Amino acid sequence: MNTSSSSITRVGLVAALLTALIAQPSLACTGLRLVSADGGAVVGRTMEFGFDLQSKALVVPAGHRLSNTLVDPTQGLSYDAKYGFVGANVLGMEMIVDGVNEKGLYVGSFYFPGYAGYAQPGPDNQDRALAPEDYGMWLLANCASIAEVKQRYNHVVLVPRPIEQLGGDSFAAHFVVHDSTGASVVIEPVDGGLRIYDNPLGVITNSPTFDWHLTNLRNYINLTVSNVPTVKLDDIDLAGFGQGSGMRGLPGDSTPPSRFVRAVAYSQAANQLKTAEETVKQVFHLMNVFDIPVGSVRDHEEKKVSEDYTLWTTVSDLKNIRWMFRTYDDQSIRSIDVRAALDAANGKLQVIEMNGPQPITDVSTDFH
């Protein structure tokens, strides 16, 4: 991967990314958070898309010069990273859609179609302007905590990045941010500005807006992890069929509102474990609930059918500053110690492969 590509090359990559985002039904990403008894925040998310985004893990050291992906980068913000970070990119771009910095701050970008609204670029904001896909990296590079995010989240301006192939549309995104204390916010670009919401439940999906999702939870206040007790009607005892009667009515489809409710239900029902290390495996299990296999979500376009599926899943241990992932083709869990990776990078941007075949171990004769 050439990390010193010209502005023209980067513009082409942005065009390819945004074309893909609109052309494919990438509407199914889900994120949630658990906090262990030792105070460790552990964040999980899935990345869904209609084709392989060829994501790689970038190791970006403090001091690295970062720019923007606008058509003319000189008309936007460039800066040096205050903090180093690790995370996943897409399509060879120098950007992060999911990552953790050396201070334990996590940022995830989630698709937000139909609701994202950006500021108009001009001389009054060009020294603060970023394309929407640049924002996650800017937060990771400049903030160490949710308190700092709240102070600085609107120090930049997100402006449209018009793409001819999209009819002038830009990448629509909103962002979830967690820190090592378990604090969380959601940031959404609406009507030209950035709105920030406290996120005490630690959950995010896609459209509509975050406050709508919180209101929608009122429709499911009847749900409980406890099975419904037997009901007596005259001389007949009516008992539930098997287990799970308390969660009857939990939406199971892949729409963003249903996934939001399901993520809240499962994360709130999860038993609190002692350590962040134990909680990592627990969060990976929870993310299995949101895994989308190829074929179950399809978008029918003219002479074409595209299928959304889970490209990769990440879990971030914000206490021990680790970013972990598994992919569609390799379900084994791989871990990156953020601080160790940054030390080994020796001040240079480095790339770690994410894709690869899954090893299958033959244990036919491993008798004990």
Side-chain angles (χ1 to χ4, degrees):
M1 175 181 176
N2 182 2
T3 58
S4 61
S5 302
S6 67
S7 298
I8 294 176
T9 301
R10 295 210 332 269
V11 167
L13 288 170
V14 174
L17 169 67
L18 296 185
T19 300
L21 287 170
I22 301 301
Q24 302 293 332
S26 59
L27 306 177
C29 302
T30 303
L32 57 81
R33 178 217 59 210
L34 298 183
V35 179
S36 57
D38 66 356
V42 181
V43 177
R45 76 86 54 88
T46 63
M47 168 62 83
E48 278 73 29
F49 217 74
F51 66 91
D52 187 3
L53 290 172
Q54 302 177 356
S55 292
K56 301 179 188 296
L58 301 187
V59 180
V60 184
H64 185 70
R65 187 67 175 175
L66 298 167
S67 186
N68 58 77
T69 55
L70 298 172
V71 175
D72 181 358
T74 66
Q75 299 300 305
L77 177 65
S78 295
Y79 57 96
D80 295 327
K82 181 178 180 180
Y83 304 111
F85 51 92
V86 169
N89 75 345
V90 295
L91 299 178
M93 297 177 64
E94 192 173 301
M95 53 88 77
I96 297 290
V97 293
D98 185 270
V100 177
N101 74 12
E102 62 186 287
K103 297 298 183 180
L105 189 82
Y106 165 91
V107 179
S109 303
F110 288 73
Y111 202 39
F112 191 46
Y115 291 84
Y118 302 119
Q120 291 303 308
D124 60 327
N125 63 21
Q126 69 179 32
D127 60 336
R128 299 183 294 129
L130 294 173
E133 61 271 16
D134 300 326
Y135 189 55
M137 180 175 277
W138 180 83
L139 289 169
L140 288 170
N142 289 284
C143 298
S145 66
I146 291 299
E148 285 190 24
V149 171
K150 288 183 174 181
Q151 292 174 350
R152 303 194 63 186
Y153 76 97
N154 60 356
H155 287 191
V156 296
V157 174
L158 301 190
V159 301
R161 168 51 175 101
I163 302 297
E164 182 180 352
Q165 299 94 316
L166 306 182
D169 289 338
S170 299
F171 171 42
H174 61 173
F175 309 87
V176 67
V177 190
H178 304 273
D179 71 14
S180 60
T181 71
S184 178
V185 294
V186 170
I187 302 171
E188 297 183 332
V190 178
D191 296 331
L194 292 171
R195 298 180 183 178
I196 190 167
Y197 302 90
D198 285 318
N199 183 16
L201 300 178
V203 168
I204 190 171
T205 57
N206 312 103
S207 303
T209 57
F210 182 71
D211 55 343
W212 183 97
H213 284 290
L214 292 181
T215 300
N216 184 52
L217 290 176
R218 295 185 180 187
N219 288 316
Y220 300 93
I221 57 176
N222 60 294
L223 297 177
T224 173
V225 296
S226 301
N227 289 328
V228 176
T230 299
V231 174
K232 189 175 185 63
L233 298 178
D234 292 330
D235 294 329
I236 301 175
D237 290 332
L238 299 178
F241 292 111
Q243 301 297 311
S245 59
M247 285 288 190
R248 181 170 172 79
L250 181 69
D253 60 77
S254 295
T255 63
S258 294
R259 286 183 287 104
F260 191 96
V261 173
R262 203 155 66 249
V264 170
Y266 281 108
S267 60
Q268 290 294 306
N271 293 329
Q272 188 179 52
L273 302 182
K274 291 182 180 180
T275 66
E277 288 90 343
E278 294 175 287
T279 305
V280 164
K281 294 179 181 179
Q282 184 183 33
V283 173
F284 268 115
H285 279 295
L286 288 179
M287 300 319 298
N288 289 337
V289 177
F290 305 96
D291 194 69
I292 296 178
V294 174
S296 63
V297 175
R298 304 182 186 186
D299 191 31
H300 292 265
E301 304 169 8
E302 185 178 358
K303 298 181 181 180
K304 181 181 179 182
V305 176
S306 57
E307 298 176 317
D308 223 26
Y309 69 103
T310 303
L311 300 180
W312 42 259
T313 299
T314 66
V315 172
S316 300
D317 176 355
L318 305 186
K319 181 179 179 67
N320 298 296
I321 323 295
R322 296 183 298 157
W323 184 80
M324 289 150 280
F325 64 92
R326 65 186 183 205
T327 66
Y328 185 86
D329 291 323
D330 187 353
Q331 291 289 293
S332 57
I333 298 171
R334 284 153 287 169
S335 177
I336 298 176
D337 182 310
V338 173
R339 289 169 294 193
L342 291 169
D343 286 344
N346 197 28
K348 298 180 181 180
L349 189 149
Q350 302 289 349
V351 178
I352 297 173
E353 291 291 338
M354 292 177 64
N355 288 327
Q358 179 165 346
I360 299 178
T361 304
D362 186 348
V363 297
S364 303
T365 58
D366 288 0
F367 303 134
H368 293 281

